Amino acid sequence: MSNMILFQKPEFGRIRCFVIDNEPWFVAKDVCLCLELSNVSEALSRIDDDERSTLRISDSAGGPERN
């Protein structure tokens, strides 16, 4: 099971983090926005396979997340 933690500051915006099996997993899209990296796929290509995962995130109404 996972729990979401939201880090939010005017300096960097918001970064979602999910705790999965007692390990923090940060949402790559949020981190890339914070770091002003425009290509999330390219950033993820530099991360080892065992250090990334896919998690479907929905908004509070149950629909797909939108920006």
Side-chain angles (χ1 to χ4, degrees), residues 16-40:
R16 293 165 291 178
C17 175
F18 290 85
V19 178
I20 303 171
D21 296 329
N22 294 318
E23 294 285 334
W25 289 79
F26 293 89
V27 176
K29 180 179 177 183
D30 296 350
V31 174
C32 287
L33 284 173
C34 170
L35 297 173
E36 298 179 355
L37 300 173
S38 60
N39 191 329
V40 178

Side-chain angles (χ1 to χ4, degrees), residues 3-65:
N3 297 310
M4 187 182 83
I5 301 167
L6 180 64
F7 298 96
Q8 189 164 354
K9 292 219 173 224
E11 298 85 13
F12 59 76
R14 71 175 192 164
I15 298 177
R16 293 165 291 178
C17 175
F18 290 85
V19 178
I20 303 171
D21 296 329
N22 294 318
E23 294 285 334
W25 289 79
F26 293 89
V27 176
K29 180 179 177 183
D30 296 350
V31 174
C32 287
L33 284 173
C34 170
L35 297 173
E36 298 179 355
L37 300 173
S38 60
N39 191 329
V40 178
S41 296
E42 183 180 334
L44 285 174
S45 72
R46 300 170 188 214
I47 297 175
D48 293 338
D49 288 341
D50 67 332
E51 295 177 345
R52 60 183 166 173
S53 183
T54 302
L55 179 66
R56 183 168 171 80
I57 302 172
S58 298
D59 66 14
S60 60
E65 176 196 3

